Amino acid sequence: GGGGGGGDGLQIPAAVLRRALGGTVLLLGSAPVGPTTVHRLQDHAGRLPTVRFGSTETCLQVMGTPRHLSAEAALASFRAGWSHTIHGCDASGYYIGRPHPPHTDCR
């Protein structure tokens, strides 16, 4: 391709993309956020996404990653979903969010 990204598959230089995304809230929702997406955002934006799950009627605020979490704590939450055990059995899944009592209950 005639991009100018320099062999990493990007259409623009990685430094330009990182600067542009560095001040942006990366809001993702309606689907689990897996390890590939998280790693790409860390590599190209230097940050983790803010995740929201919910219907349009609730403005994507039913469940989501708490905004006050540090990047380290948010990444630990994502990793906890990707690889964990339940009753001694290996399991994997995705971090969905936090409860909003008394309206929702997340497990």
Side-chain angles (χ1 to χ4, degrees):
D8 54 11
L10 298 175
Q11 296 300 308
I12 62 173
V16 172
L17 180 61
R18 185 177 269 267
R19 268 195 317 275
L21 293 176
T24 303
V25 173
L26 304 168
L27 178 63
L28 303 179
S30 77
V33 180
T36 301
T37 300
V38 168
H39 294 300
R40 284 181 180 158
L41 291 174
Q42 285 180 303
D43 287 347
H44 298 304
R47 61 189 320 150
L48 293 169
T50 297
V51 179
R52 295 288 181 260
F53 289 91
S55 68
T56 302
E57 292 77 21
T58 58
C59 300
L60 298 176
Q61 297 298 319
V62 171
M63 297 182 285
T65 52
R67 301 264 335 244
H68 70 274
L69 290 181
S70 67
E72 184 177 294
L75 183 56
S77 296
F78 290 128
R79 285 185 175 142
W82 300 334
S83 178
H84 60 278
T85 60
I86 298 174
H87 304 293
C89 298
D90 288 339
S92 64
Y94 295 94
Y95 176 77
I96 298 297
R98 66 198 188 304
H100 290 62
H103 308 292
T104 64
D105 184 27
C106 302
R107 297 173 207 218

